[in-house]
Amino acid sequence: MMVKTKKPDLWVVVSLCILALYVVFMLYPVLRVTTQSVRDNTTGTFTLRYFKQFFSDPYYFITLFNSFKISLCVTAVCLVVGVPLAYLYNIYEIKGRHVLQILIVLSSMSAPFIGAYSWVLLLGRSGLITKFIKSAFNIVPPNIYGFKGILLVLSTRLFSLVFLYVSGALKNMDNSLLEASANMGRTGWRRFVSVVLPLCMPSILAAALMVFMRSLADFGTPLLIGEGYRTFPVEIYNQYVGETSINHSFAAAISVIAILITLVVFLFQKYLSNKMSYSMSAMHRIERKKPSLLAGILIHMYAYGLVTISLIPQVYLVYLSFRNTTKTGNMFKPGYSFMNYQQVFDTMGNAVWNTVKICGGALVIVVVLAVLISYLVVRRYNVINNIIDMLSMVPYIIPGSVVGIAMVMAFNSGPLVLTGTAMIMMIAMSVRRIPYTIRSSVAVLGQIPLSVEEAAVSLGAGKTKTLVRITVPMMFSGILSGAIMSWVTLITELSSSIILYSSKTITLNLGVYVMVSRGTDGKACAISSILMLFTILSLILFMKVSKNGDISV
């Protein structure tokens, strides 16, 4: 008598495959960095001297202090600026609000290195505004380099993240709460402080964490305008690929310290969020009201003034991209043409294709895995999928430069050699961006009733067919919106890519870095403008496919 073998559950196989991917491409690289941090560079024996070196030598320890200082200050500025902006945007009628929203988001979606570079063109030692103030008033303006410059660049770039998070919370706030507070005499500023802020606190804390993490992990801004102001990511990069000395074990030790610090910050934020969490569901969304004449003028001045300050450097950068340059491209001269763009496509045309190929490939990986993982977490929750869910958040606490170093250490030798290839860049980008897409996919899937899938199965559709033909199409708008936003962040990735790229895999964002380092400002401006156009088109497409045209987190 033959015993009929039971076919393995397809979703168990999917779970094990995804778990294996996490082990190979995330846990293994992190483990390699950890083991390298306690291995002597010369003898290969176990040692803790690199950790002792970091904390005992003020030269290195000050990088930790500097990174915390800039991250805390940037977070504070972004909260002070972004929370009121989100409140005013959602409470009052603002003319051109959808255009304003695109401009606000655009200020955050541009590459950090490009933001720093554009501010240097305005306020650097030979910047436009600097030269104008010197010639007109014989006054030397404040120096853009160092702490003040990093604070300016990151604050004008990241305040929109606070705006997005708080806007998302306000969309879930019931208008009856505001009406009730008004009936009790709480209006204007008092209502904002006593009602709106407490209800939005979980989103505010999430926004603060995001801004803090991005500031702490930012590489391009301090690299370009930090000068003597040393920060964590730049120090990791210098130790790994330094021009004078290279110490991979010391770079690994700093990387481990960076992971532990971001883990502590992440857990502290989660603790505060759980303590202050509220469940809100808006049956009646907030009705925007028309402000008085004076209030309307002040609101429009605040909103559009903030956006203008954020975007003027990038607008100036686009303007310079059409200026004629010398043959070497390092000096501007009178006249306008498409010369810079022509030179870019002649010498770096592959960067455009690489951006589409590498970032597009990473996007496909992120979307496919995010859909599968969200389905496993929401619909087929078990021990394995719980582990996958926890592992999916690990990249959230790993800075980009650490991801790049981990990938090189893991795949530079052995059975799987990927360094120098486009694949390793796709994997690194996917690892960095997948936590955000998974969270949004989980939220979308959680809103789809399970009864819809049960009805399809009862009518004879298999579970896989139900997912492909029923569930995914119902998630489509959310998936597409998340994919577009992920695309924007992928094309502006620098911190991990700068360690992993080769001459054959250079992307537009890396092209800006290469052109700036060579002093060819014309080409750098042209590439930056192309990248900005990609971002604008992506945001417009996002607003077209989203249900209400609003962008929020």
Side-chain angles (χ1 to χ4, degrees):
M1 182 178 177
M2 296 181 62
V3 179
K4 189 176 181 180
T5 57
K6 185 179 179 181
K7 291 183 179 180
D9 189 338
L10 174 63
W11 290 109
V12 173
V13 176
V14 172
S15 298
L16 292 175
C17 290
I18 292 175
L19 184 61
L21 289 175
Y22 269 118
V23 170
V24 173
F25 295 112
M26 189 185 70
L27 293 185
Y28 174 62
V30 172
L31 179 63
R32 285 296 304 268
V33 170
T34 305
T35 55
Q36 185 69 41
S37 69
V38 292
R39 179 183 299 160
D40 190 281
N41 248 348
T42 54
T43 64
T45 56
F46 176 84
T47 181
L48 294 175
R49 70 185 183 94
Y50 300 111
F51 292 95
K52 294 178 182 177
Q53 178 184 352
F54 181 85
F55 288 107
S56 61
D57 192 334
Y59 176 84
Y60 299 113
F61 185 72
I62 198 172
T63 61
L64 176 60
F65 175 79
N66 287 345
S67 293
F68 261 92
K69 180 182 176 183
I70 194 67
S71 298
L72 289 172
C73 290
V74 169
T75 303
V77 171
C78 289
L79 290 176
V80 169
V81 170
V83 174
L85 179 63
Y87 177 74
L88 296 174
Y89 180 86
N90 287 277
I91 296 295
Y92 296 101
E93 290 289 348
I94 298 179
K95 293 183 178 180
R97 62 188 310 273
H98 288 303
V99 175
L100 175 64
Q101 188 181 44
I102 290 180
L103 296 177
I104 292 173
V105 176
L106 182 62
S107 64
S108 74
M109 294 303 176
S110 62
F113 188 80
I114 294 175
Y117 174 58
S118 56
W119 275 107
V120 168
L121 293 176
L122 282 177
L123 294 175
R125 295 184 179 92
S126 301
L128 177 70
I129 297 177
T130 302
K131 291 191 292 186
F132 172 76
I133 294 176
K134 282 182 180 179
S135 61
F137 306 104
N138 197 26
I139 298 175
V140 179
N143 195 343
I144 186 66
Y145 303 95
F147 172 80
K148 296 187 295 293
I150 300 173
L151 178 62
L152 173 66
V153 172
L154 292 181
S155 297
T156 54
R157 178 177 173 268
L158 297 178
F159 78 90
S160 57
L161 291 178
V162 177
F163 168 83
L164 292 175
Y165 273 88
V166 178
S167 291
L170 289 170
K171 287 181 176 64
N172 291 325
M173 187 178 296
D174 199 291
N175 194 56
S176 60
L177 294 174
L178 302 183
E179 292 175 348
S181 62
N183 293 333
M184 298 178 67
R186 296 280 178 172
T187 58
W189 173 254
R190 294 177 64 194
R191 180 176 64 182
F192 173 72
V193 173
S194 61
V195 178
V196 176
L197 282 184
L199 290 175
C200 293
M201 192 54 65
S203 294
I204 292 174
L205 290 173
L209 174 68
M210 181 67 72
V211 172
F212 184 90
M213 290 288 203
R214 291 205 179 184
S215 302
L216 190 69
D218 186 70
F219 171 79
T221 303
L223 178 69
L224 183 63
I225 64 175
E227 291 194 345
Y229 197 84
R230 302 184 303 276
T231 61
F232 234 33
V234 175
E235 191 61 40
I236 293 173
Y237 177 78
N238 289 337
Q239 290 297 327
Y240 193 77
V241 295
E243 296 180 359
T244 56
S245 62
I246 297 176
N247 191 334
H248 288 178
S249 292
F250 190 42
I254 301 177
S255 300
V256 171
I257 295 169
I259 293 174
L260 292 176
I261 289 173
T262 51
L263 175 61
V264 170
V265 174
F266 174 74
L267 293 176
F268 180 67
Q269 184 271 344
K270 292 291 288 182
Y271 167 76
L272 291 180
S273 295
N274 292 334
K275 203 171 183 181
M276 302 180 183
S277 62
Y278 300 93
S279 179
M280 293 191 298
S281 180
M283 296 183 65
H284 303 286
R285 294 202 168 190
I286 295 175
E287 297 177 3
R288 299 183 189 91
K289 59 182 180 180
K290 190 174 182 179
S292 63
L293 179 61
L294 178 60
I297 293 174
L298 294 176
I299 289 171
H300 283 77
M301 286 178 60
Y302 178 74
Y304 283 98
L306 197 58
V307 168
T308 300
I309 293 173
S310 302
L311 292 180
I312 274 182
Q314 298 182 54
V315 172
Y316 181 61
L317 186 145
V318 174
Y319 160 76
L320 288 179
S321 70
F322 294 101
R323 285 280 303 274
N324 289 330
T325 58
T326 57
K327 289 185 178 180
T328 57
N330 58 354
M331 288 186 65
F332 293 104
K333 61 182 184 180
Y336 302 90
S337 67
F338 289 96
M339 180 178 67
N340 294 318
Y341 290 93
Q342 183 179 350
Q343 291 179 350
V344 165
F345 282 101
D346 287 344
T347 60
M348 296 189 65
N350 62 323
V352 178
W353 167 239
N354 285 339
T355 300
V356 175
K357 179 180 67 174
I358 295 174
C359 298
L363 181 62
V364 171
I365 295 172
V366 167
V367 170
V368 171
L369 287 180
V371 171
L372 291 175
I373 292 173
S374 64
Y375 186 82
L376 293 172
V377 170
V378 176
R379 295 290 194 249
R380 306 185 67 85
Y381 200 76
N382 54 39
V383 175
I384 296 177
N385 295 338
N386 184 36
I387 294 173
I388 292 174
D389 188 29
M390 291 188 293
L391 289 177
S392 69
M393 294 305 295
V394 172
Y396 193 85
I397 63 170
I398 305 179
S401 53
V402 177
V403 171
I405 291 174
M407 289 294 171
V408 173
M409 289 184 175
F411 304 114
N412 194 40
S413 60
L416 187 60
V417 179
L418 296 175
T419 51
T421 66
M423 180 57 67
I424 197 171
M425 293 181 65
M426 290 184 195
I427 294 171
M429 290 179 178
S430 302
V431 166
R432 289 209 67 203
R433 300 304 172 190
I434 198 169
Y436 311 102
T437 311
I438 289 176
R439 291 304 102 189
S440 61
S441 298
V442 166
V444 172
L445 183 58
Q447 296 174 355
I448 299 175
L450 181 59
S451 58
V452 175
E453 296 176 26
E454 292 174 341
V457 173
S458 66
L459 291 171
K463 294 180 180 179
T464 305
K465 187 176 181 181
T466 300
L467 172 66
V468 176
R469 300 288 297 273
I470 305 296
T471 308
V472 171
M474 293 182 71
M475 296 173 63
F476 181 74
S477 61
I479 293 172
L480 184 58
S481 299
I484 295 170
M485 296 303 287
S486 296
W487 165 258
V488 173
T489 59
L490 288 170
I491 62 176
T492 56
E493 168 64 30
L494 178 69
S495 53
S496 63
S497 301
I498 198 172
I499 295 173
L500 300 172
Y501 87 99
S502 65
S503 59
K504 294 181 179 180
T505 59
I506 190 169
T507 59
L508 286 172
N509 201 26
L510 291 164
V512 179
Y513 169 77
V514 171
M515 291 299 111
V516 171
S517 62
R518 293 176 181 174
T520 51
D521 288 341
K523 292 181 183 178
C525 291
I527 299 174
S528 301
S529 300
I530 296 171
L531 194 58
M532 198 181 307
L533 179 62
F534 272 39
T535 306
I536 294 172
L537 294 176
S538 301
L539 291 175
I540 293 175
L541 179 60
F542 174 89
M543 298 187 75
K544 289 290 185 182
V545 301
S546 61
K547 292 181 179 179
N548 56 11
D550 278 343
I551 303 173
S552 59
V553 178

